[in-house]
Amino acid sequence: VTTMYLLQSVTNDFRKSLFGKILNLPLAFFHKVKTGELISRIVSDVQMMQNSVAVTIVDMIRDPLQVFVYYAFLLTIDFKMTLIITLVAPIIIVVMSVIGRYLRRYGTRMQEKMAELTSIIQEGISGIRVVKVFNAINFELEKFKKVADKYLHSLMKMYRVNRLSGPFNETVGAVIASSLLWYGGNKVLMGTGPSPAEFMQYVITLLLLMEPVKLFMDKVNRVQQGLAASKRVFTLLDHKPTVPLPQGDKKIDSLKKRILFDNVSFKYEGNDEFALRNFSLEIPKGEVVALVGHSGAGKSTVADLLARFYDPTEGNILVDDTNLKEISMNSWKNMLGMVTQEVILFNDTILANIAYCDSNPDLERVVNSARAANALDFIEQLPQKFETIIGDRGMKLSGGERQRIAIARAIYRNPQVLIFDEATSALDSLSEKLVQEAIDRLMAGRTVLVIAHRLSTIIHSHKIVMLDKGTKVAEGKHRVLLEQSPQYKELYEMQFAIGRK
């Protein structure tokens, strides 16, 4: 029981460490690695490590000890004959090392295919609406079958290589036994070797020695399979970002004056082109500043830099004249709130989603936040009200309801600085009216950066910034931009024409 507890505790700690490591990795890491791959490392790879250790930890101590005792006894009976038998050991070691190398290779391939399977499952289930509406069930199933067959192929290769060690050990044992009977028997008959009784003792001890050797070799093969999984686990644990975010130590608890982008340029890792170039912008405390522009203009990049998912390649972001890099990450995140374009909700209660990451939520504050977000009416109509489980990504709620829950979450957090990425999904007139009212309440009295997709919602912003291909091309209030910026006027007229149609 104690051994099992220790083993499970170590496995549990590995999973905790892996998940903690993943959550702390920079956003750029997740652009390159599939979600299913990470899930597989935490679940499948750690499990294979545990299986490898569980069946070997005692035997890997007991079997070599038995071999040592038997070998020492053989030396006392006939030193010379035992040394001759020992010459076979290097051959066994070389063959077993080759088998081990193949086991690690096929073990790694098998785990990679398992990661692909996990990824296909995760994507297929999370995108089930698209799969069904595109009638792509057979397409997804065929994709899964191909990878599952490759997984089986790698598994069987590893199994066949693993089974080679058994016949090899049996063959070596038979050769040693035959040679021993021939060589030792002649010495006994000629009277130049051990006595018949000692020779019988020698043969019996040698046969007894073969069993722990065979078991030990089998355990070594299991360890090789575990090593393939452990390499993937430790590669993730030891991963260091190419461009690590420096951790500042200056603590702040409020925004006094402004946020300033000072000649900021940025390019994503592995990309030679700048996503943002020579960008300067002042966001005074308490004002709403909106970013507009066509897709790929750099709006989301500005927001990600302010959220400090990345640091500028060139230039600085200043918060009350303090470089954002020098401010404690926790201190900055505690001041920051974000409503994303794609509403992210968790498979939990409405209460837990609104009071996200608050281990002791204030129910009165939750209710007030829901009321301010125009969400209280529909919540009160649900059978379990705030204790209603909303399903994976909030699938049990409508689009407008999900948006209002996300806004209620931001209101509950009560951030001083808000990043609001406007949702592009169309809502019915009533839902859009309720959501817009909730947005207005959310923005009131806060310093807000809005990524706008519909100009009609940000006409009254204190400042509108027009971006084009990563460069700021215009800045000002709505009426000023209509008169002075051809790009803004074109965007406005295009949206107005679409709206009128």
PDB file of all heavy atoms in Angstrom, residues 7 17 24 36 40 51 204 227 251 272 296 330 400:
ATOM      1  N   LEU A   7       4.009   5.797  -5.402  1.00  0.00           N
ATOM      2  CA  LEU A   7       4.009   5.799  -6.870  1.00  0.00           C
ATOM      3  C   LEU A   7       2.936   6.728  -7.416  1.00  0.00           C
ATOM      4  O   LEU A   7       3.197   7.563  -8.302  1.00  0.00           O
ATOM      5  CB  LEU A   7       3.794   4.382  -7.380  1.00  0.00           C
ATOM      6  CG  LEU A   7       3.750   4.195  -8.901  1.00  0.00           C
ATOM      7  CD1 LEU A   7       5.077   4.588  -9.517  1.00  0.00           C
ATOM      8  CD2 LEU A   7       3.402   2.754  -9.239  1.00  0.00           C
ATOM      9  N   SER A  17       2.756  19.326 -12.079  1.00  0.00           N
ATOM     10  CA  SER A  17       3.884  20.132 -12.585  1.00  0.00           C
ATOM     11  C   SER A  17       3.730  20.417 -14.072  1.00  0.00           C
ATOM     12  O   SER A  17       3.994  21.530 -14.535  1.00  0.00           O
ATOM     13  CB  SER A  17       5.206  19.400 -12.334  1.00  0.00           C
ATOM     14  OG  SER A  17       5.422  19.202 -10.959  1.00  0.00           O
ATOM     15  N   ASN A  24       1.834  28.313 -17.642  1.00  0.00           N
ATOM     16  CA  ASN A  24       2.775  29.424 -17.520  1.00  0.00           C
ATOM     17  C   ASN A  24       3.561  29.696 -18.798  1.00  0.00           C
ATOM     18  O   ASN A  24       4.328  30.664 -18.852  1.00  0.00           O
ATOM     19  CB  ASN A  24       3.757  29.155 -16.369  1.00  0.00           C
ATOM     20  CG  ASN A  24       3.162  29.489 -15.016  1.00  0.00           C
ATOM     21  OD1 ASN A  24       2.932  30.647 -14.690  1.00  0.00           O
ATOM     22  ND2 ASN A  24       2.865  28.459 -14.237  1.00  0.00           N
ATOM     23  N   GLY A  36      -4.452  18.696 -28.295  1.00  0.00           N
ATOM     24  CA  GLY A  36      -4.449  17.250 -28.065  1.00  0.00           C
ATOM     25  C   GLY A  36      -3.081  16.716 -27.707  1.00  0.00           C
ATOM     26  O   GLY A  36      -2.948  15.780 -26.903  1.00  0.00           O
ATOM     27  N   SER A  40      -2.253  14.716 -24.298  1.00  0.00           N
ATOM     28  CA  SER A  40      -1.629  13.395 -24.349  1.00  0.00           C
ATOM     29  C   SER A  40      -0.406  13.324 -23.448  1.00  0.00           C
ATOM     30  O   SER A  40      -0.164  12.304 -22.792  1.00  0.00           O
ATOM     31  CB  SER A  40      -1.236  13.067 -25.798  1.00  0.00           C
ATOM     32  OG  SER A  40      -0.605  11.807 -25.872  1.00  0.00           O
ATOM     33  N   ASN A  51       3.448   3.158 -15.476  1.00  0.00           N
ATOM     34  CA  ASN A  51       3.415   1.715 -15.723  1.00  0.00           C
ATOM     35  C   ASN A  51       4.815   1.129 -15.756  1.00  0.00           C
ATOM     36  O   ASN A  51       5.049   0.021 -15.272  1.00  0.00           O
ATOM     37  CB  ASN A  51       2.708   1.427 -17.047  1.00  0.00           C
ATOM     38  CG  ASN A  51       1.232   1.786 -17.002  1.00  0.00           C
ATOM     39  OD1 ASN A  51       0.659   1.938 -15.930  1.00  0.00           O
ATOM     40  ND2 ASN A  51       0.624   1.946 -18.164  1.00  0.00           N
ATOM     41  N   ILE A 204      22.885 -26.518 -11.531  1.00  0.00           N
ATOM     42  CA  ILE A 204      21.609 -26.074 -10.930  1.00  0.00           C
ATOM     43  C   ILE A 204      21.645 -24.581 -10.619  1.00  0.00           C
ATOM     44  O   ILE A 204      20.684 -23.838 -10.893  1.00  0.00           O
ATOM     45  CB  ILE A 204      21.317 -26.892  -9.650  1.00  0.00           C
ATOM     46  CG1 ILE A 204      21.015 -28.340 -10.026  1.00  0.00           C
ATOM     47  CG2 ILE A 204      20.127 -26.284  -8.882  1.00  0.00           C
ATOM     48  CD1 ILE A 204      20.948 -29.284  -8.830  1.00  0.00           C
ATOM     49  N   LEU A 227      11.085   5.237 -20.934  1.00  0.00           N
ATOM     50  CA  LEU A 227      12.026   6.318 -21.261  1.00  0.00           C
ATOM     51  C   LEU A 227      11.534   7.135 -22.447  1.00  0.00           C
ATOM     52  O   LEU A 227      11.734   8.355 -22.500  1.00  0.00           O
ATOM     53  CB  LEU A 227      13.418   5.742 -21.564  1.00  0.00           C
ATOM     54  CG  LEU A 227      14.218   5.240 -20.363  1.00  0.00           C
ATOM     55  CD1 LEU A 227      15.504   4.582 -20.831  1.00  0.00           C
ATOM     56  CD2 LEU A 227      14.535   6.393 -19.408  1.00  0.00           C
ATOM     57  N   LYS A 251       5.413  46.867  -8.136  1.00  0.00           N
ATOM     58  CA  LYS A 251       3.990  46.645  -7.921  1.00  0.00           C
ATOM     59  C   LYS A 251       3.218  47.950  -8.055  1.00  0.00           C
ATOM     60  O   LYS A 251       3.637  48.983  -7.541  1.00  0.00           O
ATOM     61  CB  LYS A 251       3.751  46.026  -6.547  1.00  0.00           C
ATOM     62  CG  LYS A 251       4.330  44.624  -6.418  1.00  0.00           C
ATOM     63  CD  LYS A 251       4.015  44.026  -5.067  1.00  0.00           C
ATOM     64  CE  LYS A 251       4.582  42.612  -4.975  1.00  0.00           C
ATOM     65  NZ  LYS A 251       4.304  41.986  -3.660  1.00  0.00           N
ATOM     66  N   ASP A 272       9.415  37.197 -40.406  1.00  0.00           N
ATOM     67  CA  ASP A 272      10.319  38.305 -40.730  1.00  0.00           C
ATOM     68  C   ASP A 272       9.588  39.634 -40.864  1.00  0.00           C
ATOM     69  O   ASP A 272      10.194  40.701 -40.720  1.00  0.00           O
ATOM     70  CB  ASP A 272      11.076  38.008 -42.040  1.00  0.00           C
ATOM     71  CG  ASP A 272      12.010  36.806 -41.897  1.00  0.00           C
ATOM     72  OD1 ASP A 272      12.476  36.569 -40.756  1.00  0.00           O
ATOM     73  OD2 ASP A 272      12.237  36.103 -42.887  1.00  0.00           O
ATOM     74  N   GLY A 296      -6.134  41.847 -40.239  1.00  0.00           N
ATOM     75  CA  GLY A 296      -4.685  41.831 -40.420  1.00  0.00           C
ATOM     76  C   GLY A 296      -4.032  43.183 -40.266  1.00  0.00           C
ATOM     77  O   GLY A 296      -2.835  43.326 -40.514  1.00  0.00           O
ATOM     78  N   ASN A 330       1.859  39.792 -12.000  1.00  0.00           N
ATOM     79  CA  ASN A 330       0.643  39.610 -11.195  1.00  0.00           C
ATOM     80  C   ASN A 330      -0.025  40.945 -10.903  1.00  0.00           C
ATOM     81  O   ASN A 330      -1.252  41.066 -10.948  1.00  0.00           O
ATOM     82  CB  ASN A 330       0.978  38.901  -9.874  1.00  0.00           C
ATOM     83  CG  ASN A 330       1.263  37.431 -10.080  1.00  0.00           C
ATOM     84  OD1 ASN A 330       0.844  36.838 -11.070  1.00  0.00           O
ATOM     85  ND2 ASN A 330       1.987  36.830  -9.152  1.00  0.00           N
ATOM     86  N   GLY A 400     -26.161  35.378 -27.498  1.00  0.00           N
ATOM     87  CA  GLY A 400     -26.320  36.605 -26.718  1.00  0.00           C
ATOM     88  C   GLY A 400     -26.176  36.369 -25.228  1.00  0.00           C
ATOM     89  O   GLY A 400     -25.597  37.184 -24.505  1.00  0.00           O
TER      90      GLY A 400
END
